[in-house]
Amino acid sequence: MREGLWEREQELRALQDSLSAVSAGSGRLVVIEGPAGVGKSELLRTARHDAEARGLTTLAARGMELESDVPFGLARQLFVPLLLRTEPHERTRLFSGPAALAAPLLGDSAGTHPAAGIGEGQAGALVEGLYWLAVNIARASAGSDSPSEQPGLVVVVDDAQWADRSSLRFLVQAVGQLAEVTLGVLVAVRTGEPEAPTDLLGRLRSHPGAVRLRPGPLSDRAVAEVVKAQGFAAAEAPFCQACAHVTGGNPFLLEELLMVLRADGIAATADAAHRVSELVPDSVLDAVVISLGRLPEAAAQLASAVAVLDEAALPLAARLAGLGIGEAEDAADTLTAAHLLRPGEPLALVHPLIAAAVLADLPERARARAHRKAAELLAAEGADASRIAVHLLNTRPQGDPWASETLRAAGRDCLLHSQTRSAVRLLRRALDEPPPVDLQAPILVELAHAEAADNSPHAMSRLVEALKNVQDPRQRAEAYNQLARLLFFKGDISQSAEAAERGLAELAPDDPLVSQLVSAQLTAATFDTRLRPGLTDQLAPYLSPARTGDLPPDPLICAHLGARMAIQGDPAALVLPVIEGAFARHPLVDASAHGVVLAFPVVALVMMDELPRASVALDRALASDRAQNSLILLTVAHHWRSVVDYRRGELVDAQAHGQRALASMGSEDWDLYGPWIDANLALIALERGDIDGARAVLGPTPASGVDPIGHCLQWEARGRLALAQNDAALALEHFTSAGRALDAMGLKSPGFIGWQGLAAQAAIRLGDQERAAELAAQELDLAQRTAVPRAVGIALRVKSLTTGAQERLQLLAESAAVLQESPARLELARSQLELGAALRSTGQRTAARAPLRQALDLATRAGAEPLLQRIRDELTAAGARPRRTSLTGVDALTPTERRIAELAAANRSNGQIAHDLYVTSKTVEWHLANVFRKLDVGSRGELAGVMG
């Protein structure tokens, strides 16, 4: 048994096994839970020493109650010490690729304060950057980009219940990618803390691969062993039993009790047991105060200062305690010898229970004065507003402008970093100070934004209160604009539109802010059928001129107009110039809208089968500086990149981008895109033959919410799942439900959801040929009006299923010919399959083999297993031997394979390619394996020669 750890063999073994797995190249997550004093910290310390002994790079941090509102405070604890020890050239390497997103937080040279002026939504970019920084550190620990060759990284977090939400979001993202990097995450959580961020901690606990350890209290036998080992070798059984009863087997309380008993010279006899039994756990904590009373006054003063600061450098603690450096050093040594202070710096009491006892012994007003002095000392040192504000929260309001402004700055910082609950608390306290009269209205507006983001019932009334005091019309309009965006992100779509309308009422028609507020209205109207008439009225004046080439000058109007034209089924030749106008000034269309407006021109390109253009637009958006400042934008861009890759038949990339979108959305309190992402991931799973995966991502019931478009996408996915499970009746019900909703919204283009064709296939399986023919004819008519190759090719193929043999051959040949001009490779594979099958069924076995072989190659590249199986069966029936691999040569590479091959040929490592393309290393490895096989090469050197 290791010193200080009793009856912890099972926990130690689990930690050792996890570290062994990390050493062998696997990711692991361990969550240790339990009440205060049960030994969680000691287990973490032991594991950390073991990790370091194995050569694993180790980062460690501890959540602190006072700093739980400081965004990324725990993350800085983790990374800054390592970066301070790192040479400048190595720091540059660690911050390469997406890890550069963390530079504003950690500084170009480690140890600096976070860069000022971080923009709205920066939290998402910082979380992403911290994840990639951890990846780079793990790889740098072995000097290799191969996960199988790296010792790896271990992240140790104690008292995670007090970690700030931003840092916990980083941990959640990191453990979500354990399969991609050799990373061990060891987390200790104190149970029973009412203010703990249970949602994020719950995601750690519920991680599928998490090892959950719950060390319990010591048994009576173990307590007796501890008592005898701690100076009471001849302790009698009743004495030991009394110690177990008083402490409840809590290791920390037992240690404190034994310290008091030794100091009082109590003999460990049966007669003395009653004296132990008279003590209760609260009095054991009081013993900490008694211990301090026995020490020199300077030691008590320093202990109080450290308890107020939670953790601090010795000079700062000395100033707060009113001690000279020499006095403070002596006092620190005294406290360390008394087992009250941890050795070394920064100064910290050995356990939060001790800190709580010390603080509880300070009178309320004295404690408030100490926090006030701590705030002033930190301000003099140039500390961040967030760190200063946690002390001001514990002071009495004094009408101090400096205090109010500091609290306001900290609140705004929390709001920008999605710490909405902390922002509300800080801004409310800033108002309580109170601030100068001229600042009260702006703070009220900011508080309203924070409360709306935190889903507080007071948000709207706070906004009304704030706007009563804001006199400047443009400030009022800006407040409404920001609130409209925020309400949309939260899913309060009708309220978002209302806020935008109120903002417009404040502005002159030529104000530049008008277009943003109109865009907010149009966005809301797209997702709320009750607002649809307003959408039609606002866009109607632009439609006719746009169809003659007279485009609106505002890119925002172009974005919404282009999407509306595509939705209504306008030909691509008319819509594309409008989309070009949307992207004329900025790759995000509206840099302040977090990608929400970007989605409109992108969805138009997707509906028109302009997938290469959509890819370019999304790549430009992801590469922009503003893009990296918004988790919402990352969600939007990765989702639509997943949709584009899915339609191109790039199923592996589509899956990777879809999972990235899901992870980004899950890290933010915003789920408007959830049904869209889930539906798309389900379609990808079905293409790959993973019916269970599709069922799991869709869940038992459709997602609820206010978004009817998301409901239609869910119905489509559930209908396809029902077809895969041979439940045609349920599939038809889902497809027709989607159709009714789409018709009500004016979504006529089959380029979005070709519900008629899907419903026709379900009707055929049910034997209703008449209904199938009617539905297929409707879809073909709509598709031919849009002249979109993908939509026309699919509609021709579906129509062929309702005709006789000869007409079927003609329709399928036309379908395949049309789809040859489309980037929708899987749809071409389907049409070639049906054409080959139709030829074979009419006795033309030799003619059937050519389309079937092309279908085989296309489906093999995509990894579409169910489709592959059907093609192989048809080829066998046609008298051919199915080829199980793709065609060879550079021309056989998919666009993604070609791009990865070119980067690999340029001597970029797998990790660097993953960084460049914002995908995982596993995805790069999968594509490179295909590249090597298709090009018949065995090394990067050969690859460089083949790629030229």
Side-chain angles (χ1 to χ4, degrees):
M1 176 60 60
R2 304 190 192 196
E3 183 180 357
L5 288 171
W6 302 82
E7 290 190 331
R8 297 294 181 253
E9 292 85 359
Q10 183 178 348
E11 289 82 1
L12 288 170
R13 192 179 307 113
L15 287 166
Q16 290 167 355
D17 290 346
S18 296
L19 292 174
S20 296
V22 175
S23 296
S26 297
R28 284 294 185 273
L29 166 64
V30 180
V31 180
I32 309 174
E33 302 173 88
V38 81
K40 303 182 298 298
S41 298
E42 193 62 39
L43 285 168
L44 284 186
R45 275 194 288 273
T46 301
R48 181 180 177 185
H49 293 154
D50 285 355
E52 291 168 347
R54 295 169 185 265
L56 296 164
T57 301
T58 306
L59 308 179
R62 179 175 71 90
M64 293 180 285
E65 187 172 15
L66 277 177
E67 296 199 6
S68 60
D69 290 335
V70 178
F72 295 102
L74 185 132
R76 284 178 54 78
Q77 277 192 63
L78 286 172
F79 289 101
V80 166
L82 174 72
L83 296 173
L84 283 171
R85 302 192 301 268
T86 305
E87 295 296 327
H89 71 279
E90 180 61 19
R91 276 203 299 273
T92 300
R93 194 158 88 96
L94 293 180
F95 278 112
S96 65
L101 300 175
L105 174 68
L106 300 172
D108 294 329
S109 58
T112 61
H113 290 299
I118 294 176
E120 183 174 352
Q122 186 80 0
L126 294 176
V127 168
E128 185 84 359
L130 289 171
Y131 165 69
W132 286 105
L133 178 59
V135 171
N136 287 351
I137 292 171
R139 290 177 175 143
S141 68
S144 168
D145 284 302
S146 173
S148 62
E149 299 174 4
Q150 55 182 300
L153 171 67
V154 175
V155 174
V156 181
V157 176
D158 199 1
D159 283 328
Q161 74 281 351
W162 290 329
D164 61 278
R165 293 185 63 85
S166 300
S167 297
L168 283 177
R169 283 172 51 199
F170 153 65
L171 290 178
V172 169
Q173 173 146 339
V175 301
Q177 306 290 331
L178 287 180
E180 306 297 336
V181 63
T182 307
L183 174 67
V185 179
L186 314 181
V187 178
V189 182
R190 182 195 289 191
T191 54
E193 289 295 320
E195 297 298 323
T198 52
D199 54 340
L200 294 173
L201 292 174
R203 293 183 64 190
L204 292 176
R205 293 187 184 99
S206 62
H207 187 277
V211 177
R212 295 181 67 179
L213 305 179
R214 301 177 182 85
L218 301 179
S219 66
D220 288 357
R221 180 183 59 80
V223 169
E225 292 177 2
V226 174
V227 170
K228 292 174 182 179
Q230 296 292 327
F232 299 93
E236 297 178 3
F239 181 89
C240 295
Q241 291 168 1
C243 291
H245 173 73
V246 166
T247 63
N250 184 290
F252 172 75
L253 295 180
L254 178 60
E255 294 280 353
E256 294 301 311
L257 173 63
L258 294 176
M259 187 188 308
V260 173
L261 293 173
R262 283 196 304 270
D264 289 347
I266 296 176
T269 64
D271 291 339
H274 72 279
R275 298 186 60 183
V276 177
S277 299
E278 290 171 357
L279 297 174
V280 294
D282 284 346
S283 64
V284 174
L285 293 179
D286 292 340
V288 174
V289 179
I290 295 172
S291 296
L292 282 173
R294 293 169 177 159
L295 300 178
E297 184 180 355
Q301 290 173 311
L302 185 66
S304 296
V306 173
V308 167
L309 292 166
D310 201 1
E311 189 173 275
L314 188 140
L316 178 63
R319 287 197 294 275
L320 181 57
L323 302 174
I325 292 296
E327 287 181 288
E329 289 174 341
D330 291 341
D333 290 340
T334 300
L335 290 167
T336 302
H339 304 290
L340 295 173
L341 196 70
R342 291 181 183 177
E345 288 195 51
L347 303 184
L349 295 168
V350 296
H351 197 280
L353 289 175
I354 292 181
V358 172
L359 287 174
D361 192 52
L362 285 174
E364 180 182 354
R365 290 177 176 79
R367 189 164 61 246
R369 287 195 301 271
H371 278 295
R372 173 73 186 206
K373 185 177 180 181
E376 293 169 349
L377 290 172
L378 287 168
E381 287 192 346
D384 301 323
S386 297
R387 191 177 175 200
I388 299 168
V390 295
H391 291 284
L392 291 174
L393 285 171
N394 290 281
T395 63
R396 297 168 61 84
Q398 299 178 12
D400 187 336
W402 166 77
S404 181
E405 184 54 38
T406 302
L407 288 159
R408 178 192 183 191
R412 293 166 68 183
D413 190 49
C414 285
L415 183 58
L416 295 177
H417 290 87
S418 303
Q419 304 269 14
T420 54
R421 190 149 301 172
S422 298
V424 169
R425 183 182 177 201
L426 289 159
L427 291 169
R428 284 177 179 170
R429 176 62 179 80
L431 283 174
D432 289 343
E433 189 62 22
V437 175
D438 61 330
L439 294 179
Q440 289 181 10
I443 295 176
L444 275 171
V445 172
E446 291 160 5
L447 177 56
H449 295 168
E451 288 176 332
D454 197 47
N455 205 24
S456 167
H458 306 296
M460 291 305 293
S461 59
R462 187 83 67 179
L463 176 62
V464 172
E465 179 188 356
L467 290 171
K468 286 179 182 177
N469 295 285
V470 176
Q471 301 302 320
D472 180 72
R474 194 149 202 301
Q475 287 183 7
R476 292 167 61 83
E478 178 60 38
Y480 278 124
N481 181 46
Q482 293 179 19
L483 187 60
R485 299 294 188 191
L486 186 57
L487 290 168
F488 177 78
F489 299 154
K490 295 284 292 182
D492 295 333
I493 295 176
S494 60
Q495 292 185 46
S496 173
E498 181 182 350
E501 184 176 357
R502 291 181 179 181
L504 285 169
E506 302 285 344
L507 295 174
D510 59 348
D511 193 295
L513 190 56
V514 166
S515 64
Q516 292 187 38
L517 286 160
V518 169
S519 174
Q521 282 188 314
L522 295 173
T523 300
T526 303
F527 287 81
D528 191 333
T529 53
R530 294 169 299 179
L531 303 173
R532 192 59 46 79
L535 170 67
T536 303
D537 292 344
Q538 286 177 297
L539 289 178
Y542 302 103
L543 277 170
S544 295
R547 288 171 175 148
T548 62
D550 184 10
L551 304 182
D554 194 315
L556 293 176
I557 300 301
C558 284
H560 291 280
L561 181 63
R564 193 65 189 165
M565 291 172 68
I567 285 169
Q568 291 179 338
D570 279 62
L574 297 181
V575 182
L576 283 175
V578 183
I579 300 303
E580 302 260 344
F583 289 117
R585 296 182 196 169
H586 198 284
L588 304 183
V589 185
D590 181 0
S592 67
H594 303 286
V596 173
V597 181
L598 166 68
F600 285 89
V602 168
V603 75
L605 292 171
V606 168
M607 283 191 289
M608 294 184 298
D609 208 22
E610 293 287 342
L611 303 183
R613 293 192 191 206
S615 293
V616 170
L618 291 167
D619 284 345
R620 289 181 62 218
L622 282 169
S624 68
D625 291 337
R626 180 69 181 181
Q628 305 311 323
N629 297 339
S630 172
L631 200 63
I632 294 171
L633 173 55
L634 291 176
T635 299
V636 172
H638 279 300
H639 165 67
W640 284 108
R641 190 58 200 268
S642 177
V643 172
V644 169
D645 288 342
Y646 163 63
R647 292 204 173 196
R648 294 175 74 166
E650 302 274 347
L651 298 182
V652 174
D653 285 357
Q655 177 82 11
H657 283 292
Q659 291 292 349
R660 291 290 296 280
L662 193 63
S664 298
M665 183 203 70
S667 299
E668 193 78 17
D669 187 19
W670 177 61
D671 61 358
L672 191 69
Y673 254 71
W676 297 57
I677 297 169
D678 290 343
N680 185 57
L681 283 171
L683 296 182
I684 296 166
L686 290 173
E687 294 287 5
R688 301 181 73 174
D690 185 5
I691 292 177
D692 289 340
R695 188 188 302 113
V697 76
L698 288 173
T701 57
S704 60
V706 296
D707 173 17
I709 302 177
H711 285 170
C712 291
L713 293 167
Q714 288 269 312
W715 276 320
E716 179 200 11
R718 290 177 185 279
R720 288 179 183 259
L721 174 61
L723 280 180
Q725 295 175 312
N726 296 315
D727 190 343
L730 180 60
L732 183 60
E733 179 183 337
H734 286 318
F735 294 141
T736 52
S737 293
R740 285 192 295 270
L742 290 167
D743 287 346
M745 291 183 287
L747 262 166
K748 300 178 180 179
S749 172
F752 188 66
I753 299 177
W755 73 270
Q756 292 99 331
L758 293 168
Q761 294 174 65
I764 289 171
R765 292 202 192 183
L766 292 170
D768 191 346
Q769 286 291 128
E770 182 179 350
R771 186 176 185 189
E774 180 184 353
L775 289 165
Q778 291 174 6
E779 181 176 48
L780 181 58
D781 179 59
L782 288 170
Q784 288 175 333
R785 278 192 240 164
T786 65
V788 173
R790 178 180 180 275
V792 172
I794 293 173
L796 288 167
R797 184 175 69 240
V798 174
K799 177 68 174 174
S800 76
L801 301 177
T802 66
T803 63
Q806 194 58 41
E807 186 180 356
R808 185 181 186 198
L809 280 173
Q810 294 173 353
L811 289 169
L812 287 171
E814 187 179 352
S815 172
V818 169
L819 287 168
Q820 294 284 2
E821 305 303 317
S822 166
R825 299 288 85 186
L826 273 179
E827 297 305 333
L828 174 59
R830 289 190 180 92
S831 290
Q832 292 287 50
L833 163 63
E834 297 297 340
L835 176 59
L839 288 167
R840 180 194 61 77
S841 68
T842 57
Q844 304 177 64
R845 297 176 68 198
T846 302
R849 294 169 190 168
L852 288 173
R853 283 185 176 131
Q854 185 185 15
L856 176 70
D857 184 60
L858 293 169
T860 302
R861 294 188 198 186
E865 279 302 322
L867 185 60
L868 267 172
Q869 189 56 52
R870 280 197 61 207
I871 297 168
R872 291 188 185 116
D873 292 344
E874 282 295 336
L875 272 169
T876 302
R881 174 175 293 180
R883 184 173 55 248
R884 291 185 177 270
T885 59
S886 301
L887 297 174
T888 59
V890 174
D891 289 340
L893 299 180
T894 67
T896 299
E897 289 169 351
R898 181 186 292 269
R899 184 168 39 170
I900 289 175
E902 290 169 347
L903 291 169
N907 206 31
R908 301 284 286 173
S909 69
N910 287 2
Q912 290 169 328
I913 295 171
H915 284 188
D916 293 344
L917 302 183
Y918 285 86
V919 296
T920 64
S921 296
K922 295 288 187 186
T923 302
V924 174
E925 291 172 11
W926 191 89
H927 281 304
L928 275 179
N930 288 339
V931 169
F932 280 29
R933 185 184 69 248
K934 290 180 181 181
L935 301 184
D936 193 24
V937 298
S939 69
R940 274 175 157 79
E942 294 180 63
L943 183 63
V946 173
M947 297 301 295

